[in-house]
Amino acid sequence: MDDLNRRLNSCISFVPLSFDWVVSRSMFHHADDPAATLAQMHRAWAARGRIFVSDLLPDPARAPAFDAIELLRDPSHRGVLTLEALRALGRERGLVEIAVSSGLTSLPLESVLATSFPPPGMLDHVRSLLARDAAAGTDIFGLRAERRDGAIWVSYPTMIVGWSIA
């Protein structure tokens, strides 16, 4: 992953302080170093611009199980931040928080799995775990797995934090 990051960074060239809006959607849980990611977003940001980060936000009590099933589904998953941890990253950079919100994004499990690239057989295992969770109504993974019209649906808890420059 570090080699991939180096190659991507060598291909991405922009003038610092050149963007009015810098947005990350559902990426921070893939970052090896979320603080460094936010620092790069900050570097690209114009003086009167805004930064917005949207990412996953499971219940802290379920975060370990959430991370575990996400890693099974998508080997590029690194781990989720709590809302407070993400807000703290902004404060550490001296950013002024201008927006905070949370919500749920409900999707059919099969559409989620279609964007996944785990080792062979792993998607069947993830399907099985979430089917059991839906049948039992236990919400072990914090995804609120449920059956709707014969299909399994999951609801991803999400957050958005926005900042401006102090």
Side-chain angles (χ1 to χ4, degrees):
M1 187 63 134
D2 289 335
D3 183 51
L4 175 61
N5 287 335
R6 276 192 295 279
R7 285 186 281 149
L8 284 173
N9 287 335
S10 70
C11 296
I12 300 170
S13 177
F14 56 87
V15 176
L17 305 174
S18 60
F19 293 95
D20 292 328
W21 291 80
V22 182
V23 178
S24 168
R25 182 176 174 274
S26 299
M27 186 283 296
F28 262 57
H29 63 275
H30 295 284
D32 290 331
D33 185 349
T37 300
L38 185 59
Q40 288 300 312
M41 293 173 75
H42 189 192
R43 185 174 75 85
W45 179 21
R48 294 185 184 261
R50 304 282 188 261
I51 291 177
F52 285 91
V53 172
S54 172
D55 206 41
L56 304 174
L57 179 66
D59 173 346
R62 291 184 173 93
F66 182 95
D67 278 339
I69 199 159
E70 280 298 288
L71 187 56
L72 292 176
R73 183 188 70 75
D74 181 354
S76 71
H77 182 85
R78 294 292 174 258
V80 292
L81 295 172
T82 64
L83 177 59
E84 185 49 41
L86 181 58
R87 294 172 81 187
L89 290 178
R91 284 192 302 273
E92 290 165 10
R93 294 215 54 82
L95 306 178
V96 176
E97 194 173 279
I98 58 171
V100 176
S101 68
S102 61
L104 287 173
T105 301
S106 294
L107 302 162
L109 177 60
E110 290 307 313
S111 69
V112 174
L113 298 181
T115 66
S116 306
F117 304 98
M122 192 57 69
L123 293 183
D124 289 335
H125 183 55
V126 170
R127 256 186 217 99
S128 172
L129 291 170
L130 288 168
R132 278 190 256 156
D133 201 35
T138 52
D139 197 25
I140 292 169
F141 305 103
L143 289 168
R144 301 180 187 186
E146 63 180 332
R147 286 222 174 254
R148 292 187 201 167
D149 301 321
I152 298 172
W153 281 65
V154 291
S155 294
Y156 278 88
T158 59
M159 63 178 156
I160 298 173
V161 180
W163 296 276
S164 66
I165 293 178

